[in-house]
Amino acid sequence: MDKITVNLEKRSYQILFGQDVLSVIGTICSDLKLGSSVAVITNPTVAALYYEPVRAALVQAGFTVYKVEIPDGEEYKNIETLKEIYSRLIDCGLDRGSFIVALGGGVVGDVAGFAAATYLRGIPFVQVPTTLLAQVDSSVGGKTGINHEKGKNLIGAFYQPVSVLVDVATLDTLPEREFLSGMAEVVKYGVAMDGGLFDFIHDNADRLLARDKESLLTVIKRSCALKGEIVAQDEMETGLRAVLNYGHTFGHAVETLTGYREYTHGEAVAIGMARAARVSERMGHSGKSETERIIALLETLGLPTRLPSFDAAAYRDALLRDKKVRDRGLNFVFNRGIGDFHIGRVTDIEALLEAAGIGE
Ligand code: NAD
Ligand code: GLY
């Protein structure tokens, strides 16, 4: 099994990668010396596919295992679900010698991680991400939390897992749209941070789309290594970590304008990256050929790149929803060619919209 370490001094942890990782979760948790009882937090979709092997491996290693199921869907990433989780953990008698396993995509990982951060003032948790997005992004870096009715991810904590177990075989069952959504985040790392990764995705697009395990392991490991390096330098997002939001400025605007219903997060980020590439070109950080290569790769992967048609005023409002942004401008992540980035403050929102080709 391959390993990458996220270096955070006493809170450092390993990300383990392989094709049959679920079957060894018991041994891995034993080696981490995590106490004797574990709550596996998951949802019905993932549980039907992967709970049994996880439970069996944990029981075989001597753990007492409790299943905690939460409903499937972003709309359940909320305070009610969190309360249900706390009640179940209390009813199962989980004490400070217990730990949590988050088995599922980013929704399960974010909620379960926040439950771990807050239950009994914090118990350890292990991330077992089962979507591509969770394997390359959300399971690493310790952002945990829930949504509030007034906005996404408004309640949360930075709380690092004690380990992340990436079993690439779980991607076999992932619906195509969810898989492609994760690929958008992989492209993000390539464009903003690693030209070699970008070229690998380009040269192996067919294999990746066919979910070839070796090719997937290559891009997942590289993505996690890049994210791990950023998190090690800027855990609390005081500056550098913002690079992970490449493509997200216009992506979030698209999600807001379409009410989070029309596009998956990755699709919105793909559209946002196509715009960010154009803005970077127009503002002198990149060239036309790079913009064309970025958009062509997204299209090869079957991801959308065209903005949904709302007028410029709607996009301006979506970008300026936050009062802080209205007063002081926004931090924008530019790609410098392919494989490097620049984070700059943009105060002239009209110029940004124009550079993005909005309202032309
Ligand atoms: P998700 O967790 O909703 O999973 C998508 C769908 O796939 C769900 O229906 C799920 O049940 C199903 N699924 C999961 N694994 C499967 C498998 N192996 N086979 C079949 N079906 C499977 O969505 P997501 O895209 O994984 O995560 C999105 C969430 O992640 C959002 O809430 C977002 O805010 C969060 N996020 C967090 C971070 C972070 O740093 N913490 C980063 C990015 C995104
Ligand atoms: N997904 C962005 C971050 O973890 O910072």
Side-chain angles (χ1 to χ4, degrees):
M1 214 181 306
D2 287 328
K3 296 176 187 168
I4 285 173
T5 301
V6 180
N7 286 307
L8 288 163
E9 297 177 352
K10 281 190 183 152
R11 289 169 299 108
S12 296
Y13 55 94
Q14 288 189 323
I15 312 171
L16 307 176
F17 306 88
Q19 293 200 35
D20 191 19
V21 184
L22 297 189
S23 67
V24 291
I25 184 172
T27 327
I28 291 164
C29 292
S30 291
D31 291 348
L32 288 166
K33 304 202 183 333
L34 290 176
S36 55
S37 297
V38 49
V40 178
I41 303 182
T42 186
N43 71 31
T45 313
V46 178
L49 295 161
Y50 303 112
Y51 176 70
E52 188 45 35
V54 168
R55 188 201 63 80
L58 287 166
V59 166
Q60 204 185 4
F63 294 104
T64 304
V65 184
Y66 300 96
K67 184 182 186 188
V68 180
E69 243 182 40
I70 62 174
D72 187 357
E74 180 74 32
E75 65 272 35
Y76 298 105
K77 188 175 146 180
N78 60 23
I79 193 82
E80 279 74 33
T81 300
L82 193 64
K83 275 170 66 182
E84 293 294 323
I85 293 175
Y86 292 142
S87 298
R88 177 98 172 104
L89 298 180
I90 294 165
D91 291 347
C92 294
L94 289 200
D95 58 17
R96 294 187 59 82
S98 317
F99 65 102
I100 284 172
V101 166
L103 175 67
V107 169
V108 166
D110 280 12
V111 186
F114 190 53
T118 46
Y119 182 67
L120 302 179
R121 300 196 178 84
I123 60 172
F125 86 113
V126 174
Q127 286 273 21
V128 185
T130 60
T131 62
L132 182 56
L133 180 136
Q135 294 185 353
V136 299
D137 191 353
S138 62
S139 66
V140 176
K143 279 189 183 175
T144 70
I146 54 171
N147 301 328
H148 186 276
E149 58 197 24
K150 293 192 188 295
K152 273 195 70 172
N153 296 326
L154 290 183
I155 318 292
F158 285 100
Y159 190 69
Q160 301 294 340
V162 292
S163 188
V164 181
L165 314 183
V166 175
D167 191 331
V168 76
T170 60
L171 300 182
D172 278 344
T173 52
L174 197 61
E176 183 70 0
R177 228 179 138 187
E178 299 297 344
F179 177 77
L180 295 179
S181 194
M183 279 307 299
E185 300 286 355
V186 178
V187 172
K188 170 189 85 177
Y189 292 109
V191 174
M193 296 165 74
D194 184 347
L197 174 59
F198 184 93
D199 290 343
F200 183 90
I201 304 166
H202 176 270
D203 297 345
N204 294 276
D206 288 348
R207 285 198 191 88
L208 288 164
L209 289 173
R211 305 194 197 182
D212 167 63
K213 303 276 187 313
E214 288 306 323
S215 311
L216 282 171
L217 275 170
T218 301
V219 298
I220 293 168
K221 271 188 283 186
R222 188 65 195 134
S223 301
C224 287
L226 289 162
K227 180 157 184 183
E229 281 164 25
I230 294 291
V231 168
Q233 293 174 66
D234 181 20
E235 183 184 7
M236 305 294 181
E237 198 166 328
T238 54
L240 182 68
R241 188 166 175 164
V243 62
L244 301 172
N245 294 332
Y246 176 72
H248 285 56
T249 302
F250 287 106
H252 283 152
V254 167
E255 284 181 305
T256 305
L257 288 172
T258 54
Y260 291 90
R261 279 183 298 274
E262 214 159 308
Y263 298 97
T264 65
H265 177 66
E267 287 166 350
V269 169
I271 294 170
M273 286 193 286
R275 290 299 125 179
R278 191 166 170 160
V279 168
S280 302
E281 177 196 331
R282 299 254 177 115
M283 296 199 173
H285 299 283
S286 187
K288 191 170 189 316
S289 69
E290 280 92 356
T291 306
E292 284 168 0
R293 287 184 65 210
I294 293 165
I295 292 174
L297 180 58
L298 292 168
E299 286 174 354
T300 301
L301 295 171
L303 287 161
T305 56
R306 299 175 76 85
L307 281 171
S309 53
F310 294 93
D311 59 25
Y315 277 103
R316 187 186 309 108
D317 287 351
L319 290 177
L320 298 180
R321 269 166 70 112
D322 183 342
K323 185 177 177 312
K324 278 199 307 267
V325 172
R326 279 199 301 276
D327 291 349
R328 289 182 245 147
L330 54 82
N331 284 336
F332 194 83
V333 187
F334 300 91
N335 55 292
R336 281 217 287 228
I338 290 175
D340 197 5
F341 66 95
H342 166 74
I343 302 173
R345 182 160 283 280
V346 175
T347 46
D348 186 345
I349 303 298
E350 297 308 323
L352 182 71
L353 290 169
E354 197 188 318
I358 293 170
E360 276 180 354

PDB file of all heavy atoms in Angstrom, residues 137 140-141 143 188 227 237 241 244-245 248, ligand 2:
ATOM      1  N   ASP A 137      -9.878  15.425  -2.303  1.00  0.00           N
ATOM      2  CA  ASP A 137     -10.047  16.763  -1.739  1.00  0.00           C
ATOM      3  C   ASP A 137     -10.586  16.743  -0.312  1.00  0.00           C
ATOM      4  O   ASP A 137      -9.845  16.958   0.657  1.00  0.00           O
ATOM      5  CB  ASP A 137     -10.966  17.583  -2.664  1.00  0.00           C
ATOM      6  CG  ASP A 137     -10.991  19.068  -2.324  1.00  0.00           C
ATOM      7  OD1 ASP A 137     -10.408  19.446  -1.293  1.00  0.00           O
ATOM      8  OD2 ASP A 137     -11.588  19.857  -3.071  1.00  0.00           O
ATOM      9  N   VAL A 140      -9.019  15.115   3.052  1.00  0.00           N
ATOM     10  CA  VAL A 140      -7.678  15.549   3.471  1.00  0.00           C
ATOM     11  C   VAL A 140      -7.744  17.015   3.888  1.00  0.00           C
ATOM     12  O   VAL A 140      -8.371  17.822   3.212  1.00  0.00           O
ATOM     13  CB  VAL A 140      -6.683  15.396   2.289  1.00  0.00           C
ATOM     14  CG1 VAL A 140      -5.311  15.939   2.664  1.00  0.00           C
ATOM     15  CG2 VAL A 140      -6.594  13.947   1.863  1.00  0.00           C
ATOM     16  N   GLY A 141      -7.132  17.347   4.997  1.00  0.00           N
ATOM     17  CA  GLY A 141      -6.989  18.773   5.323  1.00  0.00           C
ATOM     18  C   GLY A 141      -7.798  19.266   6.493  1.00  0.00           C
ATOM     19  O   GLY A 141      -7.618  20.402   6.930  1.00  0.00           O
ATOM     20  N   LYS A 143     -10.997  20.151   7.067  1.00  0.00           N
ATOM     21  CA  LYS A 143     -12.175  21.030   7.100  1.00  0.00           C
ATOM     22  C   LYS A 143     -13.392  20.144   7.353  1.00  0.00           C
ATOM     23  O   LYS A 143     -13.685  19.237   6.556  1.00  0.00           O
ATOM     24  CB  LYS A 143     -12.345  21.762   5.767  1.00  0.00           C
ATOM     25  CG  LYS A 143     -11.459  22.977   5.623  1.00  0.00           C
ATOM     26  CD  LYS A 143     -11.841  23.775   4.387  1.00  0.00           C
ATOM     27  CE  LYS A 143     -10.925  24.958   4.195  1.00  0.00           C
ATOM     28  NZ  LYS A 143     -11.201  25.687   2.930  1.00  0.00           N
ATOM     29  N   LYS A 188      -8.133  20.673 -11.437  1.00  0.00           N
ATOM     30  CA  LYS A 188      -7.784  21.877 -10.662  1.00  0.00           C
ATOM     31  C   LYS A 188      -6.335  21.819 -10.164  1.00  0.00           C
ATOM     32  O   LYS A 188      -5.581  22.774 -10.329  1.00  0.00           O
ATOM     33  CB  LYS A 188      -8.750  21.996  -9.459  1.00  0.00           C
ATOM     34  CG  LYS A 188      -8.381  23.052  -8.444  1.00  0.00           C
ATOM     35  CD  LYS A 188      -9.253  22.938  -7.190  1.00  0.00           C
ATOM     36  CE  LYS A 188      -8.693  21.923  -6.198  1.00  0.00           C
ATOM     37  NZ  LYS A 188      -9.481  21.840  -4.946  1.00  0.00           N
ATOM     38  N   LYS A 227      -2.282  18.572  -2.095  1.00  0.00           N
ATOM     39  CA  LYS A 227      -3.127  19.177  -1.058  1.00  0.00           C
ATOM     40  C   LYS A 227      -2.439  19.082   0.302  1.00  0.00           C
ATOM     41  O   LYS A 227      -2.448  20.040   1.083  1.00  0.00           O
ATOM     42  CB  LYS A 227      -4.517  18.526  -1.017  1.00  0.00           C
ATOM     43  CG  LYS A 227      -5.383  19.167   0.064  1.00  0.00           C
ATOM     44  CD  LYS A 227      -6.861  19.031  -0.109  1.00  0.00           C
ATOM     45  CE  LYS A 227      -7.571  19.813   1.012  1.00  0.00           C
ATOM     46  NZ  LYS A 227      -9.010  19.704   0.983  1.00  0.00           N
ATOM     47  N   GLU A 237      -5.953  28.227   6.471  1.00  0.00           N
ATOM     48  CA  GLU A 237      -6.299  29.078   5.319  1.00  0.00           C
ATOM     49  C   GLU A 237      -6.125  30.569   5.603  1.00  0.00           C
ATOM     50  O   GLU A 237      -7.053  31.365   5.455  1.00  0.00           O
ATOM     51  CB  GLU A 237      -7.720  28.778   4.832  1.00  0.00           C
ATOM     52  CG  GLU A 237      -7.946  29.291   3.422  1.00  0.00           C
ATOM     53  CD  GLU A 237      -9.193  28.735   2.753  1.00  0.00           C
ATOM     54  OE1 GLU A 237      -9.564  27.590   3.023  1.00  0.00           O
ATOM     55  OE2 GLU A 237      -9.768  29.467   1.953  1.00  0.00           O
ATOM     56  N   ARG A 241      -3.527  28.439   1.261  1.00  0.00           N
ATOM     57  CA  ARG A 241      -4.526  27.381   1.054  1.00  0.00           C
ATOM     58  C   ARG A 241      -5.614  27.798   0.070  1.00  0.00           C
ATOM     59  O   ARG A 241      -6.287  26.950  -0.517  1.00  0.00           O
ATOM     60  CB  ARG A 241      -5.126  26.952   2.414  1.00  0.00           C
ATOM     61  CG  ARG A 241      -6.027  25.739   2.307  1.00  0.00           C
ATOM     62  CD  ARG A 241      -6.352  25.108   3.650  1.00  0.00           C
ATOM     63  NE  ARG A 241      -7.306  24.028   3.477  1.00  0.00           N
ATOM     64  CZ  ARG A 241      -7.564  23.086   4.369  1.00  0.00           C
ATOM     65  NH1 ARG A 241      -6.945  23.076   5.529  1.00  0.00           N
ATOM     66  NH2 ARG A 241      -8.452  22.145   4.125  1.00  0.00           N
ATOM     67  N   LEU A 244      -6.448  26.196  -3.346  1.00  0.00           N
ATOM     68  CA  LEU A 244      -7.339  25.047  -3.529  1.00  0.00           C
ATOM     69  C   LEU A 244      -8.713  25.499  -4.021  1.00  0.00           C
ATOM     70  O   LEU A 244      -9.549  24.690  -4.396  1.00  0.00           O
ATOM     71  CB  LEU A 244      -7.472  24.256  -2.224  1.00  0.00           C
ATOM     72  CG  LEU A 244      -6.143  23.712  -1.664  1.00  0.00           C
ATOM     73  CD1 LEU A 244      -6.346  23.106  -0.284  1.00  0.00           C
ATOM     74  CD2 LEU A 244      -5.551  22.661  -2.610  1.00  0.00           C
ATOM     75  N   ASN A 245      -8.924  26.810  -3.996  1.00  0.00           N
ATOM     76  CA  ASN A 245     -10.201  27.346  -4.492  1.00  0.00           C
ATOM     77  C   ASN A 245     -10.097  27.813  -5.944  1.00  0.00           C
ATOM     78  O   ASN A 245     -10.964  28.535  -6.427  1.00  0.00           O
ATOM     79  CB  ASN A 245     -10.658  28.522  -3.621  1.00  0.00           C
ATOM     80  CG  ASN A 245     -10.990  28.064  -2.223  1.00  0.00           C
ATOM     81  OD1 ASN A 245     -11.375  26.916  -2.018  1.00  0.00           O
ATOM     82  ND2 ASN A 245     -10.800  28.947  -1.256  1.00  0.00           N
ATOM     83  N   HIS A 248     -13.112  28.289  -8.166  1.00  0.00           N
ATOM     84  CA  HIS A 248     -14.292  28.288  -7.304  1.00  0.00           C
ATOM     85  C   HIS A 248     -15.027  29.631  -7.269  1.00  0.00           C
ATOM     86  O   HIS A 248     -16.195  29.673  -6.902  1.00  0.00           O
ATOM     87  CB  HIS A 248     -13.919  27.864  -5.878  1.00  0.00           C
ATOM     88  CG  HIS A 248     -13.655  26.381  -5.749  1.00  0.00           C
ATOM     89  ND1 HIS A 248     -12.721  25.719  -6.515  1.00  0.00           N
ATOM     90  CD2 HIS A 248     -14.210  25.427  -4.955  1.00  0.00           C
ATOM     91  CE1 HIS A 248     -12.710  24.437  -6.182  1.00  0.00           C
ATOM     92  NE2 HIS A 248     -13.611  24.229  -5.256  1.00  0.00           N
TER      93      HIS A 248
HETATM   94  N1  GLY B   2     -11.389  22.230  -0.562  1.00  0.00           N
HETATM   95  C1  GLY B   2     -10.632  23.349  -0.159  1.00  0.00           C
HETATM   96  C2  GLY B   2      -9.829  23.159   1.089  1.00  0.00           C
HETATM   97  O1  GLY B   2      -9.769  22.099   1.668  1.00  0.00           O
HETATM   98  O2  GLY B   2      -9.238  24.098   1.528  1.00  0.00           O
END
